[in-house]
Amino acid sequence: MDLIISLDGTGGTTVRVYSAIRQAIADGRLPAGHRLPASRVLAADLGVARNSVATAYERLAAEGYLVARTGSGTYVAPTRAAAVSRRAPADPLRARSGWTYAPLPTSGGAPAPRYDFRSGIPDAKLFPFESWRRLVAAELRLRAHDPGGYADPYGQPALRAAIARYLGYARSLRAEADDVLVTNGTQHALDLIGRVLLRPGDVVAVEDPGYPPARRLFESLGAAVVGVPVDADGLVVDALPDAARVVYTTPSHQFPLGRTLSVARRHALLEWAARRQVAVIEDDYDTEFRFSARPLEPLYGLDDIGRVLYVGTFSKTMLPSVRTGFVLAPAALRSALAAARQLGDGHGQIAVQAALARFIEEGQLARHVRRAGRAYADRRARIVAALGTLTGLDVIPSAAGLHVTALTGSPASGAAADPAGRSAAHPAESEAVSPARVVAAAAARGVAVEDLGLYGSDSTGFVFGFGAVDPALLDEGMAVFSEVLAGRRDT
């Protein structure tokens, strides 16, 4: 890689080369141990005489900035390379006000906890890496002589067709390849939809409790986000704000409660959206893994006037690192969404999309979902059984997904409540248990569970993911959580 330095300043060429390299070392652009170009190469790059560069190198070496190693080259000395603090400008640039810019926590980077019950993380050990590696490698070989042009922002045609067919038999959706726009996952799809549909100040209705990244994304676009309560039948349609321009919902497996939007509510929501000309974003959150009952027909399949945008991802069925999702959009929005995609990141990874098309068409995705689903069903059953032995926790029934939610005996759990709002089933526990404190105490013992309160609303409880937990440690982890819960009640 070429070394780019500025030769602006006073003095002869040698002095300017010397000063530029010394400054690059001082401010950390040339770190300790970095190998500098040969004097001949750097001289050619800078358009100066080789002797000027060689003399500058000799002076820097004499002063301890560089070390010359015979037969190897010239390196930055470890004792002299240190980044210096830069003076902050008097009037620094600032991000616009109006929303929180702190990044949301992720599951990557830090070591996983011993008992990992975090939600939304699939088990990478269940994924057929060898099969996937062969498919990706084959696609890369096929593209060895690719002219290097840019691809279609809609996504690879083969993948769009494969997704349409997959949704036909997996979710009973009537879709064609032209209905599908490939994205880099759910968040990318929501961003594209928001940029196409929303203007600053528009109202977006979201579920409460709900999915924080979606709420924050809409806020980042300048929308006014309004939370709408969720009860045993899902999103409360009667509570939707009249001013809403967009409704975001997870009807088939509500996050984080896990409930399903009833048939009556589905029709009510579509009728409400039709009357007010509102767009409905249907996030089909992790419904591929089902453990009981047949799934209800998605809103997209019930919609006959083009109000629903159906969003899906392969982050749970495969891996988050695959970074591939999709949106089924009404015909009137497709070109706008593709244009927004093209303006943002152009297009997705061609080889990955082509490999995923083959992965689906060869039946490997369906086999993986079945195999992983059996493993997840066992883990889910063990967690539900363990929670069933804990006094004061009410498990919310759910038929799909990668997590289980338990309420701390609150009225929202379905138990009768007294006038003070306490659960008649567990009057003492609802006052004694602080989920935030339990979560913190559990974390100190290596158990990672989530506080339901982090997702909004007045409901209190815990969210237990079962995708990432080691099945050999699951029962032990639940036992530790039980001890922590009992201990917090006693304090």
Side-chain angles (χ1 to χ4, degrees), residues 288-353:
E288 291 85 359
F289 301 113
R290 301 199 63 81
F291 310 112
S292 63
R294 292 180 59 83
L296 296 177
E297 187 173 2
L299 290 171
Y300 185 87
L302 298 172
D303 177 29
D304 56 6
I305 59 173
R307 309 306 307 179
V308 178
L309 297 98
Y310 181 92
V311 173
T313 180
F314 296 97
S315 293
K316 305 298 185 295
T317 51
M318 296 177 67
L319 294 172
S321 57
V322 173
R323 301 312 308 141
T324 305
F326 57 89
V327 55
L328 303 184
L333 292 178
R334 291 171 198 159
S335 62
L337 289 168
R341 171 85 199 255
Q342 194 170 43
L343 290 173
D345 69 342
H347 58 81
Q349 302 178 69
I350 300 173
V352 170
Q353 290 189 13

Short mmCIF file of all heavy atoms in Angstrom, two decimals, residues 288-353:
data_model
loop_
_atom_site.label_atom_id
_atom_site.label_comp_id
_atom_site.label_asym_id
_atom_site.label_seq_id
_atom_site.Cartn_x
_atom_site.Cartn_y
_atom_site.Cartn_z
N GLU A 288 -40.51 -19.41 11.80
CA GLU A 288 -40.16 -20.68 11.15
C GLU A 288 -40.09 -21.83 12.16
O GLU A 288 -40.34 -22.98 11.81
CB GLU A 288 -38.83 -20.56 10.42
CG GLU A 288 -38.86 -19.65 9.20
CD GLU A 288 -38.66 -18.19 9.56
OE1 GLU A 288 -38.51 -17.88 10.76
OE2 GLU A 288 -38.64 -17.36 8.64
N PHE A 289 -39.73 -21.52 13.40
CA PHE A 289 -39.62 -22.56 14.42
C PHE A 289 -40.93 -22.61 15.21
O PHE A 289 -41.17 -21.79 16.09
CB PHE A 289 -38.43 -22.27 15.33
CG PHE A 289 -37.12 -22.21 14.59
CD1 PHE A 289 -36.43 -21.02 14.48
CD2 PHE A 289 -36.60 -23.33 13.97
CE1 PHE A 289 -35.23 -20.95 13.79
CE2 PHE A 289 -35.40 -23.27 13.27
CZ PHE A 289 -34.72 -22.08 13.18
N ARG A 290 -41.77 -23.58 14.87
CA ARG A 290 -43.08 -23.71 15.51
C ARG A 290 -43.12 -24.99 16.33
O ARG A 290 -42.57 -26.02 15.94
CB ARG A 290 -44.20 -23.73 14.47
CG ARG A 290 -44.25 -22.47 13.60
CD ARG A 290 -45.60 -22.33 12.94
NE ARG A 290 -46.67 -22.15 13.91
CZ ARG A 290 -46.97 -20.99 14.49
NH1 ARG A 290 -46.28 -19.90 14.19
NH2 ARG A 290 -47.94 -20.91 15.38
N PHE A 291 -43.83 -24.91 17.47
CA PHE A 291 -43.83 -26.02 18.42
C PHE A 291 -45.22 -26.58 18.70
O PHE A 291 -45.35 -27.62 19.33
CB PHE A 291 -43.18 -25.58 19.73
CG PHE A 291 -41.86 -24.89 19.50
CD1 PHE A 291 -41.70 -23.55 19.77
CD2 PHE A 291 -40.78 -25.59 18.97
CE1 PHE A 291 -40.48 -22.92 19.54
CE2 PHE A 291 -39.57 -24.97 18.73
CZ PHE A 291 -39.43 -23.62 19.01
N SER A 292 -46.26 -25.89 18.27
CA SER A 292 -47.62 -26.39 18.43
C SER A 292 -48.54 -25.56 17.56
O SER A 292 -48.24 -24.40 17.26
CB SER A 292 -48.08 -26.31 19.89
OG SER A 292 -48.13 -24.96 20.33
N ALA A 293 -49.63 -26.14 17.15
CA ALA A 293 -50.68 -25.48 16.38
C ALA A 293 -50.19 -25.07 15.00
O ALA A 293 -48.99 -24.96 14.74
CB ALA A 293 -51.21 -24.25 17.12
N ARG A 294 -51.13 -24.88 14.12
CA ARG A 294 -50.81 -24.42 12.78
C ARG A 294 -50.75 -22.89 12.79
O ARG A 294 -51.54 -22.24 13.47
CB ARG A 294 -51.86 -24.89 11.78
CG ARG A 294 -51.86 -26.39 11.57
CD ARG A 294 -52.94 -26.78 10.56
NE ARG A 294 -52.74 -26.12 9.27
CZ ARG A 294 -51.90 -26.56 8.35
NH1 ARG A 294 -51.19 -27.64 8.56
NH2 ARG A 294 -51.77 -25.93 7.20
N PRO A 295 -49.84 -22.30 12.03
CA PRO A 295 -49.75 -20.84 12.03
C PRO A 295 -50.96 -20.21 11.35
O PRO A 295 -51.54 -20.78 10.42
CB PRO A 295 -48.47 -20.58 11.22
CG PRO A 295 -48.34 -21.78 10.32
CD PRO A 295 -48.86 -22.93 11.12
N LEU A 296 -51.34 -19.02 11.84
CA LEU A 296 -52.40 -18.27 11.19
C LEU A 296 -51.86 -17.66 9.90
O LEU A 296 -50.66 -17.44 9.75
CB LEU A 296 -52.91 -17.16 12.12
CG LEU A 296 -53.57 -17.62 13.41
CD1 LEU A 296 -53.96 -16.42 14.25
CD2 LEU A 296 -54.79 -18.49 13.12
N GLU A 297 -52.76 -17.39 8.97
CA GLU A 297 -52.35 -16.82 7.71
C GLU A 297 -51.78 -15.43 7.94
O GLU A 297 -52.37 -14.62 8.66
CB GLU A 297 -53.53 -16.74 6.74
CG GLU A 297 -53.14 -16.29 5.34
CD GLU A 297 -54.28 -16.37 4.35
OE1 GLU A 297 -55.40 -16.74 4.76
OE2 GLU A 297 -54.05 -16.07 3.16
N PRO A 298 -50.64 -15.11 7.35
CA PRO A 298 -50.05 -13.78 7.54
C PRO A 298 -50.99 -12.68 7.05
O PRO A 298 -51.86 -12.89 6.20
CB PRO A 298 -48.78 -13.83 6.69
CG PRO A 298 -48.45 -15.29 6.59
CD PRO A 298 -49.77 -16.00 6.55
N LEU A 299 -50.79 -11.49 7.60
CA LEU A 299 -51.57 -10.33 7.16
C LEU A 299 -51.42 -10.12 5.66
O LEU A 299 -52.37 -9.74 4.97
CB LEU A 299 -51.10 -9.07 7.90
CG LEU A 299 -51.42 -8.99 9.39
CD1 LEU A 299 -50.69 -7.81 10.01
CD2 LEU A 299 -52.92 -8.87 9.62
N TYR A 300 -50.21 -10.35 5.16
CA TYR A 300 -49.95 -10.14 3.73
C TYR A 300 -50.86 -11.01 2.87
O TYR A 300 -51.33 -10.59 1.81
CB TYR A 300 -48.48 -10.45 3.43
CG TYR A 300 -48.06 -10.15 2.01
CD1 TYR A 300 -47.64 -8.87 1.64
CD2 TYR A 300 -48.08 -11.14 1.03
CE1 TYR A 300 -47.25 -8.59 0.34
CE2 TYR A 300 -47.70 -10.88 -0.28
CZ TYR A 300 -47.28 -9.60 -0.62
OH TYR A 300 -46.92 -9.33 -1.91
N GLY A 301 -51.13 -12.23 3.33
CA GLY A 301 -52.01 -13.12 2.58
C GLY A 301 -53.46 -12.72 2.65
O GLY A 301 -54.25 -13.06 1.76
N LEU A 302 -53.85 -12.02 3.72
CA LEU A 302 -55.23 -11.57 3.88
C LEU A 302 -55.50 -10.24 3.20
O LEU A 302 -56.65 -9.87 2.98
CB LEU A 302 -55.56 -11.44 5.37
CG LEU A 302 -55.48 -12.72 6.21
CD1 LEU A 302 -55.64 -12.38 7.69
CD2 LEU A 302 -56.52 -13.73 5.77
N ASP A 303 -54.44 -9.53 2.90
CA ASP A 303 -54.55 -8.18 2.34
C ASP A 303 -54.85 -8.24 0.85
O ASP A 303 -54.05 -8.74 0.06
CB ASP A 303 -53.24 -7.43 2.59
CG ASP A 303 -53.23 -6.04 1.97
OD1 ASP A 303 -54.32 -5.45 1.84
OD2 ASP A 303 -52.13 -5.56 1.63
N ASP A 304 -56.00 -7.69 0.45
CA ASP A 304 -56.36 -7.71 -0.98
C ASP A 304 -56.38 -6.32 -1.59
O ASP A 304 -56.84 -6.15 -2.73
CB ASP A 304 -57.71 -8.40 -1.19
CG ASP A 304 -58.83 -7.76 -0.37
OD1 ASP A 304 -58.59 -6.71 0.28
OD2 ASP A 304 -59.95 -8.31 -0.38
N ILE A 305 -55.86 -5.31 -0.85
CA ILE A 305 -55.84 -3.95 -1.40
C ILE A 305 -54.45 -3.33 -1.40
O ILE A 305 -54.29 -2.17 -1.78
CB ILE A 305 -56.82 -3.03 -0.64
CG1 ILE A 305 -56.47 -2.97 0.85
CG2 ILE A 305 -58.26 -3.50 -0.83
CD1 ILE A 305 -57.29 -1.94 1.60
N GLY A 306 -53.44 -4.07 -0.93
CA GLY A 306 -52.07 -3.56 -1.02
C GLY A 306 -51.67 -2.60 0.06
O GLY A 306 -50.99 -1.60 -0.21
N ARG A 307 -52.04 -2.90 1.32
CA ARG A 307 -51.65 -2.04 2.45
C ARG A 307 -50.50 -2.64 3.26
O ARG A 307 -49.91 -1.97 4.10
CB ARG A 307 -52.82 -1.81 3.41
CG ARG A 307 -54.11 -1.33 2.82
CD ARG A 307 -54.01 -0.09 1.97
NE ARG A 307 -53.37 1.03 2.63
CZ ARG A 307 -53.15 2.21 2.05
NH1 ARG A 307 -53.54 2.40 0.80
NH2 ARG A 307 -52.54 3.18 2.69
N VAL A 308 -50.17 -3.92 3.04
CA VAL A 308 -49.21 -4.64 3.90
C VAL A 308 -47.88 -4.81 3.19
O VAL A 308 -47.82 -5.21 2.02
CB VAL A 308 -49.76 -6.01 4.32
CG1 VAL A 308 -48.74 -6.77 5.16
CG2 VAL A 308 -51.07 -5.85 5.09
N LEU A 309 -46.80 -4.53 3.92
CA LEU A 309 -45.44 -4.85 3.50
C LEU A 309 -44.94 -5.96 4.42
O LEU A 309 -44.90 -5.78 5.65
CB LEU A 309 -44.52 -3.64 3.57
CG LEU A 309 -44.88 -2.47 2.65
CD1 LEU A 309 -45.65 -1.40 3.42
CD2 LEU A 309 -43.62 -1.85 2.06
N TYR A 310 -44.57 -7.07 3.84
CA TYR A 310 -44.18 -8.26 4.61
C TYR A 310 -42.65 -8.34 4.66
O TYR A 310 -41.98 -8.40 3.62
CB TYR A 310 -44.77 -9.49 3.93
CG TYR A 310 -44.48 -10.81 4.61
CD1 TYR A 310 -45.36 -11.33 5.54
CD2 TYR A 310 -43.35 -11.56 4.27
CE1 TYR A 310 -45.11 -12.57 6.14
CE2 TYR A 310 -43.11 -12.79 4.85
CZ TYR A 310 -43.99 -13.29 5.79
OH TYR A 310 -43.75 -14.50 6.38
N VAL A 311 -42.11 -8.36 5.88
CA VAL A 311 -40.67 -8.34 6.08
C VAL A 311 -40.22 -9.64 6.72
O VAL A 311 -40.83 -10.12 7.69
CB VAL A 311 -40.27 -7.14 6.98
CG1 VAL A 311 -38.79 -7.21 7.33
CG2 VAL A 311 -40.59 -5.83 6.28
N GLY A 312 -39.15 -10.22 6.19
CA GLY A 312 -38.59 -11.45 6.75
C GLY A 312 -37.07 -11.43 6.69
O GLY A 312 -36.47 -10.58 6.03
N THR A 313 -36.47 -12.37 7.39
CA THR A 313 -35.00 -12.44 7.44
C THR A 313 -34.55 -13.88 7.59
O THR A 313 -35.32 -14.74 8.04
CB THR A 313 -34.46 -11.61 8.62
OG1 THR A 313 -33.03 -11.70 8.64
CG2 THR A 313 -34.99 -12.13 9.94
N PHE A 314 -33.31 -14.14 7.21
CA PHE A 314 -32.69 -15.45 7.41
C PHE A 314 -31.73 -15.44 8.60
O PHE A 314 -30.97 -16.39 8.78
CB PHE A 314 -31.95 -15.88 6.14
CG PHE A 314 -32.87 -16.08 4.96
CD1 PHE A 314 -33.06 -15.08 4.03
CD2 PHE A 314 -33.57 -17.26 4.82
CE1 PHE A 314 -33.92 -15.25 2.96
CE2 PHE A 314 -34.44 -17.46 3.75
CZ PHE A 314 -34.62 -16.44 2.82
N SER A 315 -31.77 -14.37 9.40
CA SER A 315 -30.85 -14.25 10.54
C SER A 315 -31.13 -15.28 11.61
O SER A 315 -30.21 -15.70 12.32
CB SER A 315 -30.94 -12.85 11.15
OG SER A 315 -30.45 -11.88 10.25
N LYS A 316 -32.39 -15.70 11.77
CA LYS A 316 -32.72 -16.70 12.79
C LYS A 316 -32.69 -18.11 12.22
O LYS A 316 -32.22 -19.03 12.87
CB LYS A 316 -34.11 -16.40 13.38
CG LYS A 316 -34.28 -15.00 13.93
CD LYS A 316 -33.34 -14.73 15.08
CE LYS A 316 -33.63 -13.36 15.71
NZ LYS A 316 -33.35 -12.24 14.79
N THR A 317 -33.19 -18.28 10.99
CA THR A 317 -33.20 -19.63 10.42
C THR A 317 -31.79 -20.07 10.04
O THR A 317 -31.49 -21.27 10.07
CB THR A 317 -34.09 -19.68 9.16
OG1 THR A 317 -33.72 -18.61 8.29
CG2 THR A 317 -35.54 -19.53 9.53
N MET A 318 -30.93 -19.11 9.69
CA MET A 318 -29.55 -19.43 9.35
C MET A 318 -28.63 -18.81 10.40
O MET A 318 -28.49 -19.34 11.49
CB MET A 318 -29.23 -18.96 7.94
CG MET A 318 -30.07 -19.68 6.87
SD MET A 318 -29.79 -19.10 5.19
CE MET A 318 -28.10 -19.63 4.90
N LEU A 319 -28.04 -17.66 10.07
CA LEU A 319 -27.16 -16.96 11.00
C LEU A 319 -27.28 -15.46 10.76
O LEU A 319 -27.47 -15.03 9.61
CB LEU A 319 -25.70 -17.38 10.79
CG LEU A 319 -25.32 -18.82 11.11
CD1 LEU A 319 -23.89 -19.09 10.65
CD2 LEU A 319 -25.47 -19.11 12.60
N PRO A 320 -27.14 -14.63 11.79
CA PRO A 320 -27.15 -13.17 11.58
C PRO A 320 -26.07 -12.72 10.60
O PRO A 320 -26.26 -11.74 9.88
CB PRO A 320 -26.92 -12.61 12.98
CG PRO A 320 -27.43 -13.66 13.91
CD PRO A 320 -27.09 -14.96 13.23
N SER A 321 -24.92 -13.41 10.57
CA SER A 321 -23.82 -12.99 9.71
C SER A 321 -24.12 -13.17 8.23
O SER A 321 -23.42 -12.60 7.39
CB SER A 321 -22.55 -13.76 10.07
OG SER A 321 -22.76 -15.16 9.96
N VAL A 322 -25.14 -13.93 7.89
CA VAL A 322 -25.53 -14.07 6.48
C VAL A 322 -26.05 -12.74 5.94
O VAL A 322 -25.92 -12.44 4.76
CB VAL A 322 -26.58 -15.18 6.32
CG1 VAL A 322 -27.11 -15.23 4.89
CG2 VAL A 322 -25.97 -16.52 6.68
N ARG A 323 -26.62 -11.89 6.84
CA ARG A 323 -27.08 -10.55 6.51
C ARG A 323 -27.96 -10.53 5.27
O ARG A 323 -27.73 -9.77 4.32
CB ARG A 323 -25.90 -9.58 6.31
CG ARG A 323 -24.97 -9.40 7.47
CD ARG A 323 -25.66 -9.13 8.80
NE ARG A 323 -26.62 -8.05 8.75
CZ ARG A 323 -27.79 -8.09 9.40
NH1 ARG A 323 -28.14 -9.15 10.10
NH2 ARG A 323 -28.60 -7.08 9.33
N THR A 324 -28.98 -11.34 5.26
CA THR A 324 -29.89 -11.38 4.13
C THR A 324 -31.33 -11.48 4.63
O THR A 324 -31.63 -12.29 5.50
CB THR A 324 -29.59 -12.57 3.21
OG1 THR A 324 -28.22 -12.53 2.81
CG2 THR A 324 -30.46 -12.52 1.96
N GLY A 325 -32.17 -10.63 4.08
CA GLY A 325 -33.59 -10.64 4.38
C GLY A 325 -34.35 -10.25 3.13
O GLY A 325 -33.80 -10.25 2.03
N PHE A 326 -35.61 -9.87 3.30
CA PHE A 326 -36.42 -9.53 2.14
C PHE A 326 -37.65 -8.75 2.58
O PHE A 326 -38.02 -8.74 3.77
CB PHE A 326 -36.85 -10.79 1.39
CG PHE A 326 -37.61 -11.78 2.24
CD1 PHE A 326 -38.98 -11.71 2.35
CD2 PHE A 326 -36.93 -12.76 2.94
CE1 PHE A 326 -39.68 -12.59 3.15
CE2 PHE A 326 -37.62 -13.67 3.75
CZ PHE A 326 -39.01 -13.58 3.84
N VAL A 327 -38.28 -8.12 1.62
CA VAL A 327 -39.56 -7.47 1.84
C VAL A 327 -40.45 -7.75 0.64
O VAL A 327 -40.00 -7.67 -0.51
CB VAL A 327 -39.41 -5.95 2.08
CG1 VAL A 327 -38.65 -5.28 0.96
CG2 VAL A 327 -40.76 -5.28 2.27
N LEU A 328 -41.69 -8.15 0.91
CA LEU A 328 -42.71 -8.26 -0.14
C LEU A 328 -43.51 -6.97 -0.08
O LEU A 328 -44.10 -6.64 0.95
CB LEU A 328 -43.64 -9.45 0.11
CG LEU A 328 -43.01 -10.84 0.23
CD1 LEU A 328 -44.11 -11.89 0.38
CD2 LEU A 328 -42.14 -11.15 -0.96
N ALA A 329 -43.54 -6.24 -1.18
CA ALA A 329 -44.15 -4.92 -1.17
C ALA A 329 -45.22 -4.81 -2.24
O ALA A 329 -45.14 -5.48 -3.28
CB ALA A 329 -43.09 -3.84 -1.40
N PRO A 330 -46.22 -3.97 -2.01
CA PRO A 330 -47.20 -3.69 -3.07
C PRO A 330 -46.49 -3.15 -4.31
O PRO A 330 -45.44 -2.50 -4.21
CB PRO A 330 -48.11 -2.64 -2.44
CG PRO A 330 -47.97 -2.84 -0.96
CD PRO A 330 -46.55 -3.27 -0.76
N ALA A 331 -47.05 -3.42 -5.47
CA ALA A 331 -46.41 -3.05 -6.73
C ALA A 331 -46.08 -1.56 -6.80
O ALA A 331 -45.04 -1.18 -7.35
CB ALA A 331 -47.31 -3.46 -7.90
N ALA A 332 -46.92 -0.72 -6.23
CA ALA A 332 -46.72 0.73 -6.33
C ALA A 332 -45.47 1.21 -5.60
O ALA A 332 -44.98 2.31 -5.87
CB ALA A 332 -47.95 1.46 -5.80
N LEU A 333 -44.94 0.38 -4.68
CA LEU A 333 -43.79 0.81 -3.88
C LEU A 333 -42.48 0.17 -4.32
O LEU A 333 -41.41 0.58 -3.86
CB LEU A 333 -44.02 0.47 -2.41
CG LEU A 333 -45.11 1.25 -1.67
CD1 LEU A 333 -45.22 0.75 -0.23
CD2 LEU A 333 -44.82 2.74 -1.68
N ARG A 334 -42.52 -0.81 -5.19
CA ARG A 334 -41.32 -1.60 -5.47
C ARG A 334 -40.20 -0.78 -6.08
O ARG A 334 -39.04 -0.87 -5.67
CB ARG A 334 -41.67 -2.78 -6.37
CG ARG A 334 -42.52 -3.82 -5.66
CD ARG A 334 -43.03 -4.88 -6.63
NE ARG A 334 -44.16 -5.60 -6.04
CZ ARG A 334 -45.04 -6.28 -6.74
NH1 ARG A 334 -44.93 -6.35 -8.07
NH2 ARG A 334 -46.03 -6.90 -6.14
N SER A 335 -40.51 0.02 -7.07
CA SER A 335 -39.45 0.80 -7.72
C SER A 335 -38.85 1.81 -6.76
O SER A 335 -37.64 2.06 -6.78
CB SER A 335 -39.98 1.49 -8.97
OG SER A 335 -41.02 2.40 -8.64
N ALA A 336 -39.68 2.39 -5.88
CA ALA A 336 -39.17 3.35 -4.90
C ALA A 336 -38.25 2.67 -3.90
O ALA A 336 -37.20 3.22 -3.53
CB ALA A 336 -40.33 4.04 -4.19
N LEU A 337 -38.63 1.49 -3.46
CA LEU A 337 -37.78 0.75 -2.52
C LEU A 337 -36.46 0.37 -3.18
O LEU A 337 -35.40 0.45 -2.55
CB LEU A 337 -38.51 -0.50 -2.03
CG LEU A 337 -39.69 -0.27 -1.08
CD1 LEU A 337 -40.50 -1.54 -0.90
CD2 LEU A 337 -39.21 0.26 0.26
N ALA A 338 -36.51 -0.07 -4.42
CA ALA A 338 -35.27 -0.43 -5.12
C ALA A 338 -34.38 0.79 -5.32
O ALA A 338 -33.15 0.70 -5.19
CB ALA A 338 -35.60 -1.07 -6.47
N ALA A 339 -34.99 1.93 -5.62
CA ALA A 339 -34.21 3.16 -5.77
C ALA A 339 -33.56 3.55 -4.45
O ALA A 339 -32.39 3.97 -4.41
CB ALA A 339 -35.10 4.29 -6.28
N ALA A 340 -34.30 3.41 -3.35
CA ALA A 340 -33.73 3.71 -2.03
C ALA A 340 -32.58 2.77 -1.72
O ALA A 340 -31.56 3.18 -1.16
CB ALA A 340 -34.81 3.60 -0.95
N ARG A 341 -32.72 1.50 -2.09
CA ARG A 341 -31.65 0.53 -1.88
C ARG A 341 -30.42 0.93 -2.70
O ARG A 341 -29.28 0.89 -2.21
CB ARG A 341 -32.12 -0.86 -2.31
CG ARG A 341 -31.00 -1.94 -2.34
CD ARG A 341 -30.82 -2.52 -0.97
NE ARG A 341 -29.56 -3.18 -0.80
CZ ARG A 341 -29.38 -4.51 -0.77
NH1 ARG A 341 -30.38 -5.31 -0.98
NH2 ARG A 341 -28.20 -5.01 -0.52
N GLN A 342 -30.63 1.31 -3.93
CA GLN A 342 -29.52 1.67 -4.81
C GLN A 342 -28.80 2.91 -4.30
O GLN A 342 -27.56 2.99 -4.37
CB GLN A 342 -30.03 1.90 -6.22
CG GLN A 342 -28.95 1.94 -7.28
CD GLN A 342 -29.54 1.92 -8.67
OE1 GLN A 342 -30.52 2.61 -8.95
NE2 GLN A 342 -28.96 1.12 -9.56
N LEU A 343 -29.54 3.86 -3.75
CA LEU A 343 -28.93 5.07 -3.22
C LEU A 343 -28.17 4.81 -1.93
O LEU A 343 -27.22 5.53 -1.60
CB LEU A 343 -29.99 6.15 -2.98
CG LEU A 343 -30.62 6.76 -4.23
CD1 LEU A 343 -31.78 7.67 -3.83
CD2 LEU A 343 -29.58 7.54 -5.02
N GLY A 344 -28.62 3.79 -1.19
CA GLY A 344 -27.98 3.50 0.08
C GLY A 344 -26.72 2.68 -0.05
O GLY A 344 -25.61 3.18 0.13
N ASP A 345 -26.86 1.40 -0.39
CA ASP A 345 -25.67 0.54 -0.50
C ASP A 345 -25.57 -0.15 -1.85
O ASP A 345 -24.76 -1.06 -2.02
CB ASP A 345 -25.65 -0.50 0.63
CG ASP A 345 -26.75 -1.54 0.50
OD1 ASP A 345 -27.71 -1.28 -0.24
OD2 ASP A 345 -26.66 -2.60 1.14
N GLY A 346 -26.37 0.27 -2.81
CA GLY A 346 -26.25 -0.27 -4.16
C GLY A 346 -26.95 -1.60 -4.33
O GLY A 346 -28.01 -1.68 -4.93
N HIS A 347 -26.36 -2.64 -3.78
CA HIS A 347 -26.93 -3.99 -3.87
C HIS A 347 -26.25 -4.87 -2.85
O HIS A 347 -25.27 -4.47 -2.21
CB HIS A 347 -26.76 -4.56 -5.28
CG HIS A 347 -25.33 -4.62 -5.74
ND1 HIS A 347 -24.47 -5.64 -5.38
CD2 HIS A 347 -24.60 -3.78 -6.52
CE1 HIS A 347 -23.28 -5.44 -5.92
NE2 HIS A 347 -23.32 -4.32 -6.62
N GLY A 348 -26.74 -6.08 -2.70
CA GLY A 348 -26.17 -7.00 -1.73
C GLY A 348 -24.99 -7.78 -2.29
O GLY A 348 -24.49 -7.50 -3.38
N GLN A 349 -24.56 -8.77 -1.51
CA GLN A 349 -23.42 -9.60 -1.90
C GLN A 349 -23.89 -10.65 -2.91
O GLN A 349 -24.69 -11.52 -2.59
CB GLN A 349 -22.83 -10.29 -0.68
CG GLN A 349 -22.36 -9.32 0.40
CD GLN A 349 -21.81 -10.05 1.60
OE1 GLN A 349 -20.76 -10.67 1.55
NE2 GLN A 349 -22.55 -10.01 2.70
N ILE A 350 -23.37 -10.54 -4.11
CA ILE A 350 -23.86 -11.37 -5.22
C ILE A 350 -23.65 -12.85 -4.94
O ILE A 350 -24.56 -13.68 -5.10
CB ILE A 350 -23.16 -10.96 -6.52
CG1 ILE A 350 -23.46 -9.49 -6.84
CG2 ILE A 350 -23.60 -11.86 -7.67
CD1 ILE A 350 -22.69 -8.96 -8.02
N ALA A 351 -22.44 -13.23 -4.53
CA ALA A 351 -22.14 -14.64 -4.31
C ALA A 351 -22.98 -15.22 -3.18
O ALA A 351 -23.47 -16.36 -3.26
CB ALA A 351 -20.65 -14.83 -4.02
N VAL A 352 -23.17 -14.46 -2.10
CA VAL A 352 -23.96 -14.94 -0.97
C VAL A 352 -25.41 -15.12 -1.39
O VAL A 352 -26.06 -16.12 -1.05
CB VAL A 352 -23.86 -13.96 0.22
CG1 VAL A 352 -24.88 -14.31 1.30
CG2 VAL A 352 -22.45 -13.99 0.80
N GLN A 353 -25.95 -14.17 -2.14
CA GLN A 353 -27.34 -14.29 -2.59
C GLN A 353 -27.52 -15.49 -3.51
O GLN A 353 -28.50 -16.24 -3.40
CB GLN A 353 -27.77 -13.01 -3.30
CG GLN A 353 -27.93 -11.82 -2.36
CD GLN A 353 -28.58 -10.63 -3.05
OE1 GLN A 353 -29.14 -10.75 -4.14
NE2 GLN A 353 -28.52 -9.47 -2.42
#
